[in-house]
Amino acid sequence: VWVSTDHDDIEKVAKSWGAKVHRRSPEVSRDSSTSLETIQEFMRLNPEVDVMCNIQATSPCLHPFHVKEALEMITLQGFDSVFSVVRRHQFRWQEVKKGSAEFTTPLNLDTSKRPRRQDWDGELCENGSFYFTTRDLVNEGLLQGGKVAYYEMHPEYSVDIDVDIDWPVAEQRVLRYGYFGRNTPEVVRLMFCNVSGCLTDGRIFLAVSGEEMVSINTRDTTGIHMLQREEVEVVLLTSSEDPVAQSLADKLAKRTGCQVMQVGEEPLNDLKPMLAQRKLLWKDVAYMG
């Protein structure tokens, strides 16, 4: 990724995020300079580049998958240039200058057969988000040429900041559809569950023989098996002060397929080594007690 700029602060920010910087010359940094002129300068200074993508900084809702899929249209499908478009459903009319005796006429509409929006495919319009092209086309002074193809983006991603009034709209759209880097979903990888009070209901059954018994709900064991199928490790916790629960350890381990672990008065002290061994953080852990 290269950032083209002639501004010191922009260069610093770009490098801090790992981008390379093309320091534009004064000749292509004028207010009247075109993107093509800057791209031609870049290509001259970087002869190893065969395919170039010009990403517009005024299109803040572009995502990596858009760029990847468009690039594959060149590298895998054989197109020479690919640019982004969005589908618009707007009827266009011929402009009439003030004071003219002419009448306006429709440009893309048959007024005798005016379609409903849902019955009309609309039109494809450039949204200015990106342009892929080859070195040969740039040398010819073209961004679009040869075997040309478009890449259609959904409207929610097609944001273009052109005038001041576009800013508040873009800011709200970015919050919902912008790209904020690779997301690592926060999912539970390990669950600790107390036997007493979670798998049992707190009651102790006394037999005539003097044997103490507790019961567990099969729905709880079914839930544990569901978690295990989602690759969540479940560890059952017993207390040294709860002899009834401890006596169930072997049977619970066999029935649920879970490790049964005895913890002391400060369970965290016993559980921290397990997290370190599995290279997990507390945000990856759930606890039921």
Side-chain angles (χ1 to χ4, degrees):
V1 176
W2 289 77
V3 173
S4 176
T5 184
D6 63 340
H7 197 282
D8 293 339
D9 290 341
I10 294 177
E11 178 178 2
K12 290 178 182 178
V13 171
K15 288 182 176 179
S16 71
W17 284 93
K20 298 180 181 180
V21 173
H22 166 61
R23 191 74 185 197
R24 293 202 301 258
S25 67
E27 289 75 19
V28 297
S29 299
R30 304 185 182 96
D31 291 340
S32 58
S33 298
T34 66
S35 297
L36 178 59
E37 291 172 339
T38 303
I39 292 169
Q40 288 175 324
E41 180 185 69
F42 171 82
M43 297 295 267
R44 285 196 303 270
L45 297 175
N46 297 274
E48 74 281 2
V49 177
D50 294 321
V51 177
M52 184 279 311
C53 177
N54 179 32
I55 295 176
Q56 304 280 54
T58 52
S59 299
C61 289
L62 180 68
H63 282 243
F65 76 87
H66 295 134
V67 178
K68 180 181 178 181
E69 292 174 358
L71 176 60
E72 289 176 349
M73 295 175 70
I74 289 183
T75 59
L76 301 181
Q77 300 179 36
F79 291 104
D80 298 313
S81 57
V82 179
F83 58 96
S84 57
V85 300
V86 63
R87 192 173 298 273
R88 303 292 189 197
H89 294 79
Q90 296 171 329
F91 296 127
R92 296 180 292 108
W93 290 76
Q94 180 67 47
E95 181 180 1
V96 176
K97 301 297 183 180
K98 287 186 177 182
S100 171
E102 297 179 356
F103 299 100
T104 187
T105 55
L107 297 176
N108 63 343
L109 169 67
D110 182 351
T111 56
S112 65
K113 299 178 181 178
R114 185 183 181 92
R116 300 184 303 167
R117 176 188 174 92
Q118 59 266 40
D119 296 330
W120 182 41
D121 291 336
E123 295 180 325
L124 297 176
C125 306
E126 288 189 27
N127 67 359
S129 189
F130 64 80
Y131 298 84
F132 271 99
T133 191
T134 61
R135 169 176 291 276
D136 292 339
L137 287 174
V138 171
N139 290 338
E140 296 176 18
L142 298 172
L143 289 180
Q144 296 156 304
K147 298 177 181 178
V148 185
Y150 60 80
Y151 178 89
E152 184 174 354
M153 294 176 61
H154 292 302
E156 57 266 30
Y157 299 113
S158 297
V159 180
D160 184 32
I161 302 174
D162 189 37
V163 294
D164 289 346
I165 198 173
D166 294 330
W167 275 106
V169 176
E171 288 173 347
Q172 292 302 312
R173 192 77 68 87
V174 166
L175 290 176
R176 185 167 183 180
Y177 298 108
Y179 178 70
F180 297 96
R182 294 180 180 178
N183 290 327
T184 302
E186 294 187 2
V187 296
V188 173
R189 309 307 310 164
L190 175 64
M191 178 176 176
F192 294 117
C193 179
N194 275 347
V195 172
S196 293
C198 294
L199 298 187
T200 66
D201 58 7
R203 293 183 295 175
I204 298 177
F205 299 93
L206 301 176
V208 175
S209 61
E211 184 180 4
E212 296 180 339
M213 296 177 291
V214 296
S215 66
I216 60 174
N217 195 315
T218 56
R219 292 181 179 178
D220 292 328
T221 57
T222 299
I224 290 174
H225 292 317
M226 292 173 66
L227 288 171
Q228 291 169 332
R229 285 196 293 270
E230 295 295 326
E231 299 183 351
V232 177
E233 181 183 2
V234 180
V235 176
L236 302 180
L237 305 179
T238 63
S239 170
S240 56
E241 300 176 356
D242 189 351
V244 175
Q246 180 58 33
S247 66
L248 289 174
D250 293 338
K251 293 180 180 179
L252 285 172
K254 183 177 180 179
R255 177 177 286 273
T256 62
C258 299
Q259 175 183 349
V260 180
M261 180 179 179
Q262 185 180 91
V263 294
E265 295 181 358
E266 297 293 337
L268 285 180
N269 295 334
D270 299 311
L271 302 180
K272 285 180 180 178
M274 182 175 290
L275 266 69
Q277 182 182 14
R278 289 162 173 74
K279 298 180 179 179
L280 296 176
L281 302 175
W282 283 110
K283 69 180 182 64
D284 306 315
V285 179
Y287 171 77
M288 181 178 293

